[in-house]
C-alpha cells in the first residue's frame, strides 16, 4: 500500500491540466456493451476505476486497449459477451453495476453482484432495479447477485426520483437499458449531472434516440440496434474544484486548464464567497488566495447544486476560515469520515446529525491520517498542503481510484508531496 507524505505550508503556483471525468467514462465503457464492434472514448483519465471497469469488460469478453499517452480507450465488443459481473470486481468499484442495463438490453440476461454498502453510506440500488422491472425484466436476488432476465425489454413510464432526490447511477443505467427496448420510455425525475448528458451524447452517437438532454424528463425511443461510436469525455468538474480549493487553501495562484466553466459555476461561486479570487478564461480559470478565508454555510444538492463530491474538500477549506461554517450533507448519510481525521490535524468540527459545524482555526498541524474514501482522501491532502509540518496520508489507493496522479500534479505546482511505499 502507498501513502502520501506532505510537507505543508507552500503556496501552489503555476498551471495544472484537468483530466476527463471518471464518472462519465465508467458508464460509457459499460454502454459499449450495447453494440458490436470498436468504440473509441477520448480524454480518458488514467485512474484505477477505469482500470477496474476495463477488467470488468474483459471478463465479459470484450477486447479493451487503453492508450495512456493518447488518453484513449478502444473497446471492441465483437464476439461473445458474457453476462456475469463478479463480486471480485464490483466490490472494488460500485459503478460495476453499470453493466446491468446494457447486458439486459443486449443479451437479455445479466448476473451482477450486489454492490453492498461503502464508507459513505448504504447506497442502495432499488431505483436501478425498479427501472429494469418496469422495462419488463424479471429480477431475483440470489446468493448476493442480481439475476435479471427478459425476452425483450419494453418501453414504459418510469419515475426515478428517490428519497434523497435524483440518482445519477439509476438514470444512466435505466436509460442505457431502454435504448434497445420496444417502443418509447419516459424517465421522469432524471438526474441533471453533466456526466449524464455526456453519456446521452455517446448513446445518441451510437444511434439511440434520446430527447430531453439536460432536463429531468428524458424520452427514449427504442431502436433495433446500436452501432459503435466515438466520444470525447467532458473535463472532471470535481478534480477542477479540488485544485481550485488547493489554490485558495495554500494562498497560491494557479491556472486550471481544460475546464467546462458551466459545470463548475456553483463551485466557483462558493469559492468566491469565501474569499477566493477567481478569473475566468477560455476553458480555464485562475484561482488566487487572498490571505484570508471567510466562513460560510453550505448544503450539498444534486446538480446544479453544490456537489456532494466536493463537500469534504470544501470542509477542509472551512477548517482554516475565519468564523463558523455549517456544512450539511443531504445525499449520503455517512459522508463525514474525514471529520475525525481533520480534527486530529487540529480542526474544530462537531457533527450534528447531517450537519457538521466547523469552527475555523488559525492553523492545521501535520500528523498521520487515514484516507477512508475517494473524496475524503482529497480533503486530507488539501489539509496536509495547508498544515504546519508533515502529514502522512495512508491508504491513498482510495484517491488513486478517481484522481489522475494527483501528487505529481500538485508537485508540479510547487507542493511538497510525494508517494512512499508503506
Ligand atoms: C454518483 C457518483 C458519485 C456521486 C453521486 C452523487 C459515479 C460513478 N458516482 O454515484 O461520485 O457522489 O453520483 O452525485 O458516477 N439512491 C437510492 N437508490 C438507488 C440509487 C441511489 O436511494 O437505487 C440514493 C443514494 O443512496 C443517494 C442518492 O440516491 O442518497 C443519490 O445517489 P446516486 O446519484 O445514485 O449516486 P451514484 O450514482 O451511486
Amino acid at each position: 500500500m502507498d501513502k502520501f507524505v506532505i510537507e505543508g505550508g507552500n503556496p501552489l503556483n503555476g498551471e495544472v491540466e484537468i483530466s476527463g471525468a471518471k464518472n462519465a467514462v465508467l458508464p460509457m465503457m459499460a454502454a459499449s456493451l450495447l453494440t458490436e464492434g470498436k468504440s473509441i472514448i477520448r480524454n480518458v483519465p488514467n485512474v484505477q476505476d477505469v482500470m477496474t471497469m476495463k477488467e470488468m469488460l474483459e471478463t465479459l469478453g470484450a477486447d479493451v486497449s487503453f492508450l495512456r499517452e493518447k488518453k484513449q480507450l478502444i473497446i471492441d465488443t465483437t464476439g461473445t459477451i458474457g453476462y456475469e459481473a463478479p463480486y471480485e470486481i464490483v466490490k472494488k468499484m460500485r459503478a460495476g453495476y453499470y453493466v446491468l442495463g446494457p447486458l439486459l438490453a443486449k443479451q437479455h440476461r445479466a448476473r451482477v453482484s450486489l454492490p453492498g454498502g461503502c464508507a459513505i453510506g448504504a447506497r442502495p440500488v432499488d431505483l436501478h432495479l425498479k427501472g429494469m422491472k418496469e422495462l419488463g425484466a424479471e429480477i431475483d436476488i440470489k446468493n448476493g447477485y442480481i439475476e435479471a432476465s427478459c425476452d425483450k425489454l419494453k418501453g414504459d413510464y418510469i419515475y426515478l426520483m428517490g428519497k434523497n432526490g435524483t440518482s445519477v447511477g439509476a438514470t444512466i443505467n435505466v436509460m442505457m437499458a431502454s435504448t434497445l427496448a420496444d417502443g418509447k420510455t419516459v424517465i421522469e425525475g432524471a438526474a441533471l449531472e453533466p456526466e449524464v448528458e455526456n453519456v446521452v451524447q455517446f448513446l445518441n452517437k451510437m444511434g439511440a434516440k434520446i430527447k430531453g438532454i439536460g432536463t429531468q424528463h428524458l424520452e427514449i425511443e427504442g431502436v433495433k440496434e446500436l452501432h459503435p461510436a466515438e466520444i470525447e469525455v467532458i473535463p472532471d468538474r470535481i478534480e477542477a474544484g479540488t485544485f481550485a480549493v488547493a489554490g485558495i487553501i495554500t494562498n497560491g495562484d494557479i491556472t486550471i486548464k481544460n475546464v467546462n466553466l458551466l459545470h463548475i459555476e456553483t463551485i466557483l461561486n462558493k469559492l468566491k464567497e469565501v474569499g477566493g479570487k477567481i478569473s475566468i478564461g477560455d476553458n480555464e480559470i485562475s484561482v488566487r488566495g487572498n490571505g484570508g478565508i471567510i466562513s460560510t454555510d453550505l448544503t450539498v444538492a444534486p446538480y446544479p447544486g453544490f456537489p456532494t463530491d466536493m463537500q469534504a474538500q470544501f470542509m477542509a477549506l472551512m477548517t482554516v476560515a475565519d468564523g463558523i461554517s455549517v456544512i450539511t450533507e443531504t445525499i449520503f448519510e455517512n459522508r463525514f469520515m474525514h471529520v475525525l481525521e481533520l480534527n486530529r490535524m487540529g480542526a474544530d468540527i462537531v457533527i450534528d446529525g447531517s450537519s457538521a459545524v466547523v469552527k475555523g482555526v488559525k492553523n492545521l498541524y501535520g500528523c498521520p491520517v487515514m484516507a477512508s474514501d475517494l473524496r475524503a482522501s482529497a480533503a486530507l491532502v488539501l489539509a496536509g498542503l495547508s498544515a504546519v509540518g508533515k502529514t502522512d496520508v495512508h491508504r491513498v489507493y482510495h484517491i488513486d481510484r478517481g484522481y489522475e496522479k494527483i501528487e505529481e500534479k500538485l508537485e508540479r505546482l510547487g507542493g511538497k508531496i510525494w508517494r512512499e511505499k508503506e
Side-chain angles (χ1 to χ4, degrees), residues 145-219:
Y145 277 76
I146 302 163
E147 301 206 347
S149 60
C150 61
D151 289 335
K152 176 107 170 56
L153 295 174
K154 286 198 179 56
D156 203 345
Y157 175 91
I158 304 170
Y159 183 70
L160 272 190
M161 191 72 84
K163 64 180 184 349
N164 295 336
T166 51
S167 162
V168 174
T171 301
I172 295 178
N173 220 350
V174 176
M175 175 174 75
M176 290 192 292
S178 64
T179 55
L180 291 178
D182 272 342
K184 183 166 163 178
T185 300
V186 172
I187 298 180
E188 203 66 74
L192 297 175
E193 271 68 4
E195 292 75 19
V196 178
E197 199 174 311
N198 206 191
V199 176
V200 173
Q201 285 162 350
F202 189 36
L203 293 169
N204 281 347
K205 279 174 172 238
M206 290 174 166
K209 293 201 170 134
I210 307 172
K211 284 200 272 190
I213 203 164
T215 74
Q216 290 201 341
H217 175 98
L218 294 175
E219 288 191 14

Side-chain angles (χ1 to χ4, degrees), residues 271-312:
L271 294 179
K272 269 190 201 162
E273 193 183 320
V274 301
K277 295 282 157 207
I278 292 166
S279 46
I280 306 276
D282 225 7
N283 296 329
E284 65 176 47
I285 51 167
S286 294
V287 181
R288 219 159 19 93
N290 193 26
I293 300 164
I294 307 158
S295 59
T296 188
D297 296 342
L298 171 82
T299 300
V300 307
Y303 190 84
F306 190 95
T308 170
D309 282 355
M310 276 297 298
Q311 178 258 105

